[in-house]
Structure formats: C-alpha cells, structure tokens
Amino acid sequence: DVKVTQSSRYLVKRTGEKVFLECVQDMDHENMFWYRQDPGLGLRLIYFSYDVKMKEKGDIPEGYSVSREKKERFSLILESASTNQTSMYLCASSLSREGETEAFFGQGTRLTVV
Amino acid sequence: AQTVTQSQPEMSVQEAETVTLSCTYDTSESDYYLFWYKQPPSRQMILVIRQEAYKQQNATENRFSVNFQKAAKSFSLKISDSQLGDAAMYFCAYRTAPLAGGGADGLTFGKGTHLIIQP
C-alpha cells in the first residue's frame, strides 16, 4: 500500500512563527503536492513538485514556500504564520506515468495560528 | 484554467436508497482524467472511482458508478444501496493527462458535497 505520512495531525503556532509541515511518501512517486482545505472552498493547490529540487506554484502560493531535497520528502513552509493560514493542510503524491494518475493523500494536518 | 463545480453542498438519502451527486467541469483539453474522492470524518481522502476522458464507457466500482457526458462536461456519481459508511464529503476532481516528458499538474477539486445517510 502507498503510504503518505504527514508529521503532525494537529499543530498550534503563534502569529509570526516559522512553521514547517513535513510530508513523506514511501512509493517512489515523482510528484508531490500540498493542498489547503477550507470549509466551502474545497481543496486548493498551494505548491507541487515533479522532481527533486523542482517546484511549481499552484493556485494560492502566497505566504508559503516549499522544499524538496529528497524524492520522498516534501516540506511546506510558512515563513511567518498568520491567522488566515489557519486551515487543514493535505499532502499528496502520484506517479507521472500514463494511466497512473491517482493521487494518494496523507491524513492531513490541522494547523491553528493564534 | 480548469474549474470544477459541485452544485450540491449537501445531500441526504435514506439507507439502501440510491443517490446521485453532480459535478460539472470546464476545460479546453481533450485528454484528461476525472475522479471522485471520499473524505470521511477521519479526514483520509479515499479514491472512489476514476474515469479517463478517452473512454466512452462509464466507470463502475461495485455500488459506485459514474455518468460521464464528455460533450456536456458532466461527471455525476451514483451510489446505489447507500450504506451508513458512505456518509462523508465527496469531492469531484479533474486532472490533465500526464505530460509526455514528465512533470505534473495537481488535481483541481470542486468544493465538495456533504452526503448524509439517514438510517
């Protein structure tokens, strides 16, 4: 079974703190994604990566950065956390091969910024 | 940019009945994939069913089936014999076909439909 693991299920941080959300996948997937989920808005793509050290902006990258130093790990960084970044964060991974399009998700991190 | 619209924020169905969740999308691509994901209270996103745009036959997975109308850009999910365990948020999602040279696009999601199963 593919496993995508996010380092924390719940996190509480203070405004202005630098926050790291970590995600690890164990199936050698090329692609990794960070989504933000808010009630009534669905899931919105923050950043994605299709290879080590490669990153692409998604739909809502402002206030976030990412790091992918190893294939299995994709980190989301909030440089200076703000209360409007309180949300559920979901990491996902997938293959790039034709026909292999399913994305596998982690269990989510509920981040509260106070 | 692609958009995915789920017009039903919440649906309710009696146990053992059939329910259909609606999804429409907008794209200029000809080759793409469509998905329905389920998110129960545990928050784990689970793939329910997948449809390749080039396949005319509607996908089916046990009690779950889709009605894919490519020209109308419609992709509805039918759940037959609803069970209490089907209660969840359901998300429709779109993805362009993988690029020939590698690379990826993320999934574009709808806002979700909250499905309630009445015992």
Side-chain angles (χ1 to χ4, degrees):
Chain A
D1 274 356
V2 175
K3 195 163 185 184
V4 180
T5 303
Q6 295 181 229
S7 52
S8 306
R9 273 184 77 80
Y10 299 94
L11 213 50
V12 180
K13 296 292 182 180
R14 294 196 179 279
T15 302
E17 274 193 79
K18 189 169 186 175
V19 181
F20 292 86
L21 302 183
E22 307 286 349
C23 176
V24 176
Q25 49 94 5
D26 65 358
M27 283 302 291
D28 204 35
H29 284 174
E30 296 91 352
N31 307 318
M32 296 190 74
F33 309 87
W34 275 106
Y35 289 90
R36 170 176 172 159
Q37 182 179 6
D38 299 289
L41 296 179
L43 281 75
R44 293 176 292 168
L45 182 64
I46 304 171
Y47 267 98
F48 67 96
S49 168
Y50 55 88
D51 201 352
V52 176
K53 296 191 184 297
M54 304 302 291
K55 60 184 179 184
E56 294 284 344
K57 292 180 180 179
D59 299 318
I60 51 164
E62 296 79 18
Y64 303 94
S65 62
V66 290
S67 172
R68 193 166 182 201
E69 297 296 319
K70 294 184 178 181
K71 191 174 185 179
E72 68 270 18
R73 186 179 297 270
F74 192 37
S75 302
L76 179 69
I77 304 159
L78 287 65
E79 294 289 342
S80 178
S82 64
T83 54
N84 63 13
Q85 292 178 310
T86 291
S87 187
M88 172 77 76
Y89 292 88
L90 290 166
C91 175
S93 71
S94 72
L95 288 167
S96 276
R97 270 174 253 137
E98 181 68 28
E100 300 285 347
T101 55
E102 178 183 352
F104 295 85
F105 285 82
Q107 77 277 27
T109 296
R110 189 174 294 280
L111 172 67
T112 302
V113 182
V114 297
Chain B
Q2 296 84 13
T3 58
V4 177
T5 302
Q6 292 179 250
S7 59
Q8 305 150 317
E10 187 172 280
M11 293 280 286
S12 182
V13 64
Q14 292 286 333
E15 193 176 2
E17 297 291 308
T18 295
V19 63
T20 299
L21 308 184
S22 301
C23 173
T24 58
Y25 59 95
D26 188 24
T27 183
S28 58
E29 304 284 339
S30 59
D31 193 12
Y32 50 88
Y33 297 83
L34 296 164
F35 306 85
W36 278 98
Y37 278 87
K38 170 185 176 181
Q39 187 182 43
S42 68
R43 305 194 320 230
Q44 183 67 54
M45 293 283 278
I46 302 164
L47 179 68
V48 174
I49 202 164
R50 170 177 58 199
Q51 175 80 43
E52 290 90 342
Y54 64 86
K55 290 186 178 178
Q56 293 189 347
Q57 187 173 4
N58 289 325
T60 300
E61 289 287 341
N62 300 314
R63 297 182 295 107
F64 299 87
S65 61
V66 297
N67 183 4
F68 173 48
Q69 302 288 330
K70 191 173 184 180
K73 296 180 181 174
S74 171
F75 183 61
S76 60
L77 174 70
K78 185 171 84 171
I79 306 174
S80 303
D81 186 25
S82 298
Q83 300 176 0
L84 294 177
D86 295 333
M89 284 292 293
Y90 285 82
F91 292 97
C92 179
Y94 168 103
R95 179 183 174 178
T96 53
L99 303 174
D105 279 330
L107 290 165
T108 299
F109 284 86
K111 294 182 179 180
T113 297
H114 181 211
L115 179 63
I116 298 166
I117 311 294
Q118 305 279 5

